[in-house]
Amino acid sequence: MLTDVEGRAAVKLARKTIELFLSEEKFPEPQELGFELSPVFGEKRGVFVTLTESGLLRGCIGHPFPDSRLEDAIMDSAISAATRDPRFPSVREDELDKIVVEVTILTQPEKINAPAEELPEHIEIGRHGLIVKQGYCQGLLLPQVAPEYNMDSIEFLSHTCLKAGLLPDAWLKGAEVSCFEGQIFKEKEPCGEVIEENISGE
């Protein structure tokens, strides 16, 4: 788990990376950040960066698995969310003061070992994100998606299958389902205070 200070640093790192990449096409150097990164940023972690504008999704890309140092994964995901999400045009530099930056730190995904018909019972809405994989197809939905769209566990499974490019009932027909948890830090408003978001309702 990241501390509040580390969570604020994660979001600031994501925003600074996007700002510098859009203005100068370079990654930020440590001295340009204006704050220190704690040792946790050197650990390998999965992460997603989500951008929203006026409450609407503007870009969301990340590293589902802990394949990179957290610092590098945040910077790469931030640039990808701003410029490489195929669903949206690239973010313009003059848009940045309208965009809310959100960083979700992921736990290691774990395959749910249960009969297909029992999978919904193993998914906790507001706590778990899902990865569905079958063949070359793979889709991921973050933990915050299900509560945001008022999904139950069956709907969450079906939408994750659709995200993978599969039929919505693929989870019943042999697709591999893994779950993970996420710690979410986001700006309350563009460039504003960073808070940890609780989506579990607890």
Side-chain angles (χ1 to χ4, degrees):
M1 297 286 285
L2 270 66
T3 65
D4 288 345
V5 171
E6 290 166 341
R8 288 195 291 271
V11 174
K12 287 179 182 177
L13 174 60
R15 177 172 283 280
K16 188 69 174 179
T17 298
I18 296 169
E19 289 173 352
L20 274 172
F21 189 79
L22 293 182
S23 63
E24 303 177 29
E25 293 193 356
K26 69 169 191 171
F27 287 96
E29 298 293 334
Q31 64 272 17
E32 293 176 299
L33 293 177
F35 56 91
E36 294 287 323
L37 292 176
S38 71
V40 73
F41 287 87
E43 298 176 6
K44 290 188 175 182
R45 299 283 186 98
V47 68
F48 267 73
V49 173
T50 303
L51 309 178
T52 54
E53 187 172 345
S54 301
L56 299 175
L57 185 64
R58 188 63 179 83
C60 180
I61 291 183
H63 290 233
F65 299 95
D67 55 16
S68 305
R69 296 186 324 133
L70 181 57
E71 177 181 355
D72 298 328
I74 289 172
M75 290 195 292
D76 180 65
S77 299
I79 290 171
S80 293
T83 66
R84 300 174 189 147
D85 190 326
R87 298 169 292 181
F88 306 98
S90 293
V91 170
R92 303 183 312 275
E93 193 174 354
D94 62 3
E95 274 185 279
L96 279 176
D97 60 356
K98 303 173 189 172
I99 284 177
V100 166
V101 178
E102 176 181 313
V103 176
T104 305
I105 313 297
L106 310 185
T107 62
Q108 174 76 40
E110 296 182 2
K111 181 182 176 183
I112 302 175
N113 291 309
E117 62 274 11
E118 295 178 13
L119 284 171
E121 301 169 24
H122 293 266
I123 296 164
E124 189 175 326
I125 297 297
R127 178 183 176 193
H128 291 141
L130 295 179
I131 298 173
V132 170
K133 184 176 181 182
Q134 191 168 48
Y136 292 107
C137 298
Q138 178 172 291
L140 177 149
L141 288 178
L142 294 171
Q144 52 267 52
V145 172
E148 185 176 341
Y149 292 97
N150 202 27
M151 296 179 191
D152 61 26
S153 55
I154 291 175
E155 291 169 329
F156 197 24
L157 280 161
S158 298
H159 279 276
T160 311
C161 291
L162 291 170
K163 184 74 180 292
L166 301 168
L167 291 173
D169 63 351
W171 61 274
L172 279 167
K173 299 181 177 178
E176 180 179 300
V177 179
S178 300
C179 67
F180 60 90
E181 297 179 33
Q183 192 179 12
I184 306 161
F185 295 94
K186 67 182 295 186
E187 297 171 338
K188 291 177 72 173
E189 58 190 13
C191 306
E193 178 190 355
V194 175
I195 59 168
E196 181 173 359
E197 188 168 51
N198 176 17
I199 58 170
S200 67
E202 296 177 359

